[in-house]
Amino acid sequence: MSEKSTNPHHPWAPGAATGVGSMPGGDAREAAKTVTGSLEALPYLPELPARGPGADMIGRTAGMLAELYAHVEPSGWRISDRPGRDTRRARSWLGEDLDALEEFTQGHQGALKVSAVGPWTLAAALELRGGEVALSDPGACRDLTASLAEGVRAHLAEVRRRVPGAEVVLQLDEPSLTSVLRGSVRTASGYRTHAAVDRGVVEGALRTLVEAADGPVVVHSCAPAVPFGLLRRAGVAGISFDLSLLTEGEEEAIGEAVEGGTALLIGAVPGTDTPLSDPAGSVGGVRTLWRRLGLAPATLAESVVVTPSCGLAGASPGYARAALAHCVRAARSLADNPE
């Protein structure tokens, strides 16, 4: 049983660590055992993309959609008229992952994180019948957002049913969000780009997902230039990002987010095999950021969750285990020695 949160905005205790989502290999039980054994304060439902189409993040989320279906083409995932083999495979693997999570979370009380691809990264990846992505059609984007909201609502209800003591946190993976806002998502031909989507429309779709979740929502992006202000306005409880991609120009927005009660899930530990420094050294940049922002050191452990820089699918199994354990020790270091 994990320690209780002291912050009304999120259900995990101070000094927490977690992973981003993906793990190496294809064994759901082994992944769930590693994640739940390593991360007491904020365990999560692992993704195992090495299993192939349907276990990748786009296919996994496509399998959650309500009354929309998708299949694999050589160019990627494409909307279908009816559920086929690829949809069934995606749903089967998600069911297997949920079985494993349920097995290793017996008696769990507290925060538990699950992931889905957010509406804008999904719209930038999922093709319409003609081969162009849904992002090219505002009506298709609205339909996709509504279907995703309904699918996520059902998925979260299933997780709550299987793990009754869980306070479920939804993570929306939005690596393409900045490209959508900047108009840099390429068309199918590759010769031009789709128009930038209005920031109000982007914010509105994200708010639809926040409302559907009926609980805390975190948005993760491992891309540069995360739109912190827009995400806060959409009502997210936390923002997950890669510390190494942060620029000085974003620091003011981060300070405002912290002061407004938004949690920061900071990717401070490399996501692929590399020698790991001491845990305190891994979060030295977090302490430096806090000093530059003039934030009280005492707020560090409450505001920050330590994570790998991105998913661990590209790591070796041994490194993935070591990285999660390192995140836990680094988070404890921030709590024990915030200055």
Side-chain angles (χ1 to χ4, degrees):
M1 186 183 295
S2 61
E3 189 184 342
K4 289 297 286 180
S5 168
T6 57
N7 188 312
H9 296 280
H10 49 68
W12 55 83
T18 192
V20 171
S22 65
M23 291 287 283
D27 187 330
R29 289 186 74 257
E30 184 60 34
K33 182 180 178 183
T34 297
V35 164
T36 56
S38 302
L39 303 166
E40 188 181 336
L42 187 50
Y44 64 95
L45 176 65
E47 299 170 0
L48 300 172
R51 292 180 297 196
D56 60 299
M57 70 178 197
I58 298 297
R60 182 182 178 99
T61 301
M64 294 180 195
L65 295 174
E67 297 181 29
L68 272 181
Y69 313 104
H71 66 278
V72 179
E73 292 279 342
S75 52
W77 283 87
R78 183 172 295 182
I79 288 175
S80 307
D81 294 323
R82 60 186 65 84
R85 181 184 59 188
D86 296 326
T87 296
R88 288 193 295 272
R89 186 192 296 123
R91 291 175 176 175
S92 173
W93 271 329
L94 180 57
E96 186 180 304
D97 294 338
L98 286 168
D99 288 344
L101 182 75
E102 183 178 3
E103 179 184 347
F104 289 101
T105 51
Q106 294 294 310
H108 177 76
Q109 300 282 329
L112 175 66
K113 183 165 68 72
V114 300
S115 302
V117 174
W120 296 107
T121 295
L122 200 59
L126 199 56
E127 298 173 357
L128 301 174
R129 291 173 183 84
E132 206 53 84
V133 292
L135 189 65
S136 64
D137 181 336
C141 289
R142 287 191 294 272
D143 291 346
L144 192 55
T145 297
S147 172
L148 178 60
E150 194 55 42
V152 159
R153 196 179 283 118
H155 177 53
L156 295 178
E158 175 69 2
V159 174
R160 290 173 180 131
R161 183 187 69 78
R162 287 171 177 261
V163 193
E167 295 181 72
V168 183
V169 178
L170 172 65
Q171 176 180 300
L172 295 174
D173 292 316
E174 282 283 18
S176 300
L177 183 58
T178 300
S179 299
V180 167
L181 290 165
R182 290 179 169 176
S184 57
V185 176
R186 295 211 161 271
T187 58
S189 69
Y191 292 123
R192 58 186 184 86
T193 57
H194 294 288
V197 180
D198 179 86
R199 296 179 79 84
V201 173
V202 169
E203 185 184 318
L206 290 167
R207 193 178 298 112
T208 296
L209 269 296
V210 169
E211 290 166 358
D214 191 27
V217 174
V218 169
V219 170
H220 167 72
S221 174
C222 51
V226 175
F228 289 94
L230 183 150
L231 293 173
R232 284 184 59 222
R233 289 191 299 275
V236 306
I239 301 171
S240 171
F241 61 95
D242 181 346
L243 181 63
S244 70
L245 299 178
L246 198 64
T247 64
E248 209 172 300
E250 294 164 286
E251 290 184 1
E252 185 180 342
I254 286 182
E256 289 172 358
V258 171
E259 288 172 348
T262 306
L264 304 179
L265 286 78
I266 299 183
V269 175
T272 51
D273 293 43
T274 191
L276 292 168
S277 68
D278 70 290
S282 293
V283 285
V286 180
R287 292 188 180 90
T288 302
L289 173 65
W290 235 245
R291 284 196 294 272
R292 281 206 303 268
L293 293 173
L295 295 167
T299 65
L300 244 181
E302 249 184 35
S303 302
V304 171
V305 176
V306 178
T307 77
S309 57
C310 205
L312 293 167
S316 66
Y319 179 80
R321 287 190 295 273
L324 293 179
H326 193 84
C327 287
V328 171
R329 289 193 294 271
R332 194 171 298 135
S333 156
L334 282 183
D336 293 344
N337 302 295
E339 299 185 72

